[in-house]
Amino acid sequence: MIVNERETEEGLLVAVCDTDVLGETFESESVSLTVTEEFYGGDEVDETAVVDSLARADVANIVGTRSVELAVEEGFVDEANVLEVGSTRHAQLLRLY
């Protein structure tokens, strides 16, 4: 998986994607999602590092079947809030304080 972290005015923004979806575009009836290098490109890491990043995230965008599954398994995202976009999955996390 690939993780990109950046500080924003709203806090830590984390972008996570499966390595095989970087650079791909996925479409469904109402959604088009392009997994750009600019936004999602970063360090290739193991699942432990992804969990650590998501635990610190104020906002996260997660793309890819395995990345989204991990976020659900670890309790960051509720399965009911996961989108199917073409042949992949997408979820967002927003932590409210």
Side-chain angles (χ1 to χ4, degrees), residues 7-51:
E7 283 294 336
T8 71
E9 291 181 14
E10 290 78 27
L12 181 65
L13 169 62
V14 174
V16 179
C17 72
D18 292 358
T19 55
D20 64 337
V21 301
L22 189 63
E24 299 293 323
T25 296
F26 300 92
E27 295 182 350
S28 64
E29 290 179 13
S30 60
V31 178
S32 178
L33 173 66
T34 300
V35 188
T36 64
E37 174 75 34
E38 178 180 55
F39 188 81
Y40 289 93
D43 298 322
E44 192 166 339
V45 299
D46 63 16
E47 291 183 0
T48 301
V50 171
V51 170

Side-chain angles (χ1 to χ4, degrees), residues 15 19 46 53 56 58 62 69 75 81:
T19 55
D46 63 16
S53 288
R56 293 180 291 105
D58 295 297
I62 309 156
E69 283 176 0
N81 296 320

